[in-house]
Amino acid sequence: GESVGLHLPTLSVQEGDNSIINCAYSNSASDYFIWYKQESGKGPQFIIDIRSNMDKRQGQRVTVLLNKTVKHLSLQIAATQPGDSAVYFCAENMGAGTALIFGKGTTLSVSS
Amino acid sequence: GAGVSQSPSNKVTEKGKDVELRCDPISGHTALYWYRQRLGQGLEFLIYFQGNSAPDKSGLPSDRFSAERTGESVSTLTIQRTQQEDSAVYLCASSLERGRGNEQFFGPGTRLTVL
């Protein structure tokens, strides 16, 4: 079975709102986490990553938060735009030499 | 090219036929991965190549699936005697090296439909 999952399969927001996409992981040995964005008909695109020795990392309009105590990962998108509409996947890696494990994804829909 | 490319983009085949999917990784990337993505699902790891090391085949679902890679270049994923449950998008990714902290760059995928 999958060790990475997402709380909500879909999320609908208005343009300009902040979006929060959540992910729960089950393996406490996981030490590297990534968020990917996948638009229709395209391959996943890397958004941001975080290592287990950090609890927050910021990028351009995106922030990833990691709570190792409850094994929870979130992606925050500021000022969400229609172009952010896509499926978002979290993935975990349990150390060097292991495969990335992906969750099922959350579909983000942004309306104008 | 600037990114990972895959061909064909779409493949429709009949049950029982063999298919071959191709991936051209980013030049200089030593690691190459194949994933399968069923409709509405996440990505399932299939196989990984790193340089000249033996591939990690732990994700291959059956012996009908195989993959090859020549050096650090093109890879082909072969599915023999295709079944309807093989219908999915097959994604290839490459990275500078395997392991933690190495971004994987994905191709657009090959959509396989088995009738």
Side-chain angles (χ1 to χ4, degrees):
Chain A
E2 294 177 343
S3 70
V4 177
L6 292 167
H7 292 300
L8 291 174
T10 61
L11 177 65
S12 297
V13 300
Q14 293 286 322
E15 181 178 1
D17 286 351
N18 295 330
S19 302
I20 300 176
I21 300 173
N22 295 304
C23 175
Y25 64 95
S26 59
N27 195 318
S28 57
S30 294
D31 61 2
Y32 177 60
F33 305 88
I34 313 103
W35 281 100
Y36 281 92
K37 171 186 179 182
Q38 187 174 27
E39 296 173 290
S40 181
K42 298 183 179 179
Q45 178 185 3
F46 176 94
I47 301 173
I48 192 167
D49 60 358
I50 189 168
R51 297 186 185 279
S52 59
N53 61 352
M54 303 172 68
D55 54 19
K56 180 179 180 179
R57 190 166 187 219
Q58 288 185 293
Q60 189 175 24
R61 281 202 306 118
V62 295
T63 301
V64 56
L65 299 177
L66 175 63
N67 185 330
K68 295 180 288 294
T69 302
V70 295
K71 291 184 283 190
H72 184 268
L73 189 70
S74 68
L75 176 70
Q76 299 178 357
I77 305 174
T80 314
Q81 303 168 0
D84 295 327
S85 295
V87 180
Y88 289 80
F89 295 94
C90 65
E92 65 177 316
N93 181 266
M94 288 181 276
T98 62
L100 283 175
I101 299 174
F102 286 78
K104 290 186 178 181
T106 290
T107 299
L108 176 65
S109 299
V110 183
S111 53
S112 301
Chain B
V4 177
S5 60
Q6 293 184 245
S7 61
S9 55
N10 283 283
K11 177 70 176 178
V12 180
T13 190
E14 294 179 345
K15 178 181 174 180
K17 301 284 189 182
D18 297 351
V19 296
E20 190 173 277
L21 313 180
R22 177 187 169 110
C23 172
D24 285 87
I26 294 172
S27 178
H29 280 192
T30 59
L32 185 147
Y33 313 75
W34 282 98
Y35 294 89
R36 178 172 68 180
Q37 186 176 29
R38 291 196 165 110
L39 185 64
Q41 302 295 311
L43 280 69
E44 300 173 71
F45 166 74
L46 296 177
I47 189 169
Y48 150 76
F49 296 90
Q50 171 63 60
N52 294 319
S53 301
D56 175 356
K57 304 179 182 180
S58 60
L60 294 179
S62 77
D63 59 8
R64 295 186 296 105
F65 288 73
S66 63
E68 293 183 348
R69 187 184 187 194
T70 305
E72 295 183 354
S73 60
V74 172
S75 175
T76 55
L77 176 69
T78 301
I79 308 174
Q80 296 178 308
R81 306 181 302 281
T82 51
Q83 303 295 312
Q84 289 182 333
E85 64 260 28
D86 298 334
S87 296
V89 175
Y90 290 82
L91 290 155
C92 173
S94 69
S95 69
L96 284 172
E97 62 181 13
R98 180 81 184 271
R100 298 179 299 168
N102 294 296
E103 179 181 349
Q104 295 183 23
F105 295 82
F106 283 84
T110 293
R111 182 174 298 278
L112 175 65
T113 303
V114 182
L115 302 177

